[in-house]
Amino acid sequence: MERAQVRRGPAGSRKSVRLATFNVLHGRQVREGGPVPPSAADAERPLAEAVASLDADVVSLQEVDRFQERSGLTDQARVAAEAARAEDWRYASALHGRSVLGQGWVLDPSEPGLRVYGPVGGAPGAAPPSHGIALLSRLPVREWRAVRLAPAPLGMPLRVVGRPGLTVVRDRPRAALAAVLQGRRGPFTAVAVHLSFVPGWNARQLLALRALIADLPRPHLLLGDFNLIGAIPRAVLNAAELLDPSRDRPTRHHQAPSLSPRRRRRQNHELRQQNTARRYGWRDLASVPTYPSHRPVLQFDHVLASGLPQDAVYAKHAPPTPISDHRPLVVDLRV
């Protein structure tokens, strides 16, 4: 597992913070009959309009292209960030290479598996083509982290957009991005996630992400395409919580007398969030089907939270958009 450390001012006039996760399928338009051939002359518009329509303060995007021919050689993370009016954002490459029709991914052996790109730079030709995830924020960001997750050793037969029946698909590397954000009630951590489609392997990746953010401020929020349905993701995380030996030991407020009032308040806030997490555990903030987009019956896309009180959710929905085989999942929170 490779690891890299790496605004619109206050988010709107809402009393809540709006979070969204969206597997954008590299901005590809999809109808009930299958994918729509892309238009090279207007490659950016469908993705930009779909992301802008969410009006979200924090957006997790999966299956994002960077400088791929199939998506018009665009930097899709940058396009999405501009559409969302998110001044701070990062894109993490799960793999570097080109998507070639009929061949799949042709990887670039000269590039490392994980690179993190942001608002600075990004002209076509400045970096090789890649594919990954993005996390966009209108809120101030204190810290970024990125991780690359290795692929499962075996593939699986899956339904592929535009192909009849089942196709054996090899797993590929995944990436996750974590950001410590400044909310109205204090800092919290949001993680953009795209897990493997291989059962068991995706649960293992989920537990790796739990460990990655263990030392970051709570509440913890995981947003993404988990390739796990229904209650399975929260069950996996809560099972790990139950086996954690520190679970039944509430954090005590041991404070050094030399702490400044500001530092003491911050420490108290973080300790309260840790104890709240032990009390509430992990939960799915929105039980809403998101797949397939034309007639959703399954939920692969989740917003999971640890350390949030029960009344934190203000609203939730999965609106239709003109792109992707997934619907976005949008949740309004008081954080």
Side-chain angles (χ1 to χ4, degrees), residues 118-291:
V120 178
S130 62
H131 184 71
I133 65 169
L135 185 59
L136 327 173
S137 178
R138 296 174 181 171
L139 302 176
V141 180
R142 292 184 175 187
E143 179 183 349
W144 289 98
R145 288 184 185 178
V147 65
R148 183 176 184 261
L149 304 169
L154 300 174
M156 280 191 64
L158 299 173
R159 292 193 178 276
V160 177
V161 174
R163 298 182 187 178
L166 298 177
T167 302
V168 176
V169 180
R170 293 184 60 185
D171 196 17
R172 60 176 184 266
R174 307 283 170 161
L177 272 169
V180 178
L181 307 175
Q182 183 59 49
R184 290 185 180 86
R185 301 185 180 183
F188 66 97
T189 301
V191 188
V193 179
H194 190 194
L195 302 181
S196 169
F197 52 75
V198 177
W201 197 263
N202 43 25
R204 175 179 173 177
Q205 292 175 335
L206 189 57
L207 295 176
L209 294 179
R210 174 181 174 270
L212 173 74
I213 61 173
D215 63 324
L216 296 181
R218 296 178 185 269
H220 289 167
L221 297 160
L222 304 182
L223 308 93
D225 177 358
F226 288 61
N227 278 308
L228 291 164
I229 61 173
I232 294 176
R234 72 170 183 264
V236 169
L237 290 168
N238 282 323
E241 294 283 338
L242 288 171
L243 296 174
D244 189 338
S246 67
R247 171 181 169 82
D248 296 323
R249 297 198 301 270
T251 305
R252 304 297 180 184
H253 293 246
H254 298 300
Q255 297 173 343
S258 59
L259 286 178
S260 67
R262 181 178 179 182
R263 181 66 183 272
R264 185 174 289 110
R265 287 194 299 270
R266 179 179 175 183
Q267 185 186 73
N268 286 341
H269 171 81
E270 292 175 352
L271 293 172
R272 285 195 300 271
Q273 293 294 349
Q274 291 172 14
N275 290 330
T276 300
R278 291 188 177 95
R279 178 181 178 187
Y280 293 116
W282 286 93
R283 60 196 182 95
D284 217 325
L285 300 185
S287 297
V288 182
T290 57
Y291 183 89

Side-chain angles (χ1 to χ4, degrees), residues 66-124:
R66 193 169 194 263
F67 307 149
Q68 296 288 342
E69 290 186 10
R70 68 180 181 182
S71 48
L73 299 176
T74 60
D75 183 348
Q76 290 193 324
R78 184 180 301 276
V79 169
E82 291 174 354
R85 294 171 295 165
E87 293 186 6
D88 208 348
W89 58 273
R90 293 293 186 274
Y91 162 86
S93 60
L95 55 86
H96 285 84
R98 296 178 296 111
S99 175
V100 178
L101 185 64
Q103 298 183 44
W105 287 101
V106 178
L107 301 183
D108 185 342
S110 67
E111 282 297 319
L114 176 68
R115 279 189 184 270
V116 179
Y117 303 91
V120 178

